[in-house]
Amino acid sequence: QVQLVESGGGLVQAGGSLRLSCAVSGLTFSISAMGWFRQALGKEREFVTTISWNGRSTVYADSVKGRFTISRDNAKNTVYLQMNSLKPEDTAVYYCAASRVLVATATRPPDYWGQGTQVTVSS
């Protein structure tokens, strides 16, 4: 059974930082592309970022480019999302996602999802 468990969400002031983590089990993590998506209240879920199996390739949504950084530790089966210079419009539930490919794209639907973690940015 594949499980993705996010942590690290919370309330932060605009301009602040948060680091999300996603621990993965039940999946061959080291050959799986990973990603983060988010869904704000009343809006559709949207792509945030993805990282290839070996961490050498990353893709970011324009809205987070230069502020967010995705990384992974294959020894720990964990993917991270460092979020800096947070804005109120970053407020959303953030979902970790795994894909059964080495390299994912912004438009390829992931194969597995975490339960989500709330990030709230106050102005």
Side-chain angles (χ1 to χ4, degrees), residues 43-63:
K43 296 187 177 181
E44 293 187 352
R45 190 175 300 189
E46 65 175 3
F47 169 80
V48 176
T49 180
T50 184
I51 187 168
S52 63
W53 65 285
N54 59 3
R56 294 179 182 175
S57 176
T58 57
V59 179
Y60 294 92
D62 288 343
S63 58

Side-chain angles (χ1 to χ4, degrees), residues 65-106:
K65 204 170 293 184
R67 299 187 299 121
F68 289 13
T69 303
I70 188 171
S71 62
R72 64 189 296 159
D73 186 337
N74 285 356
K76 296 182 178 180
N77 283 13
T78 302
V79 63
Y80 305 97
L81 182 64
Q82 178 66 43
M83 305 185 293
N84 298 329
S85 302
L86 282 161
K87 306 175 181 179
E89 50 264 43
D90 294 318
T91 295
V93 177
Y94 283 72
Y95 296 91
C96 176
S99 297
R100 291 178 296 184
V101 293
L102 297 178
V103 181
T105 65

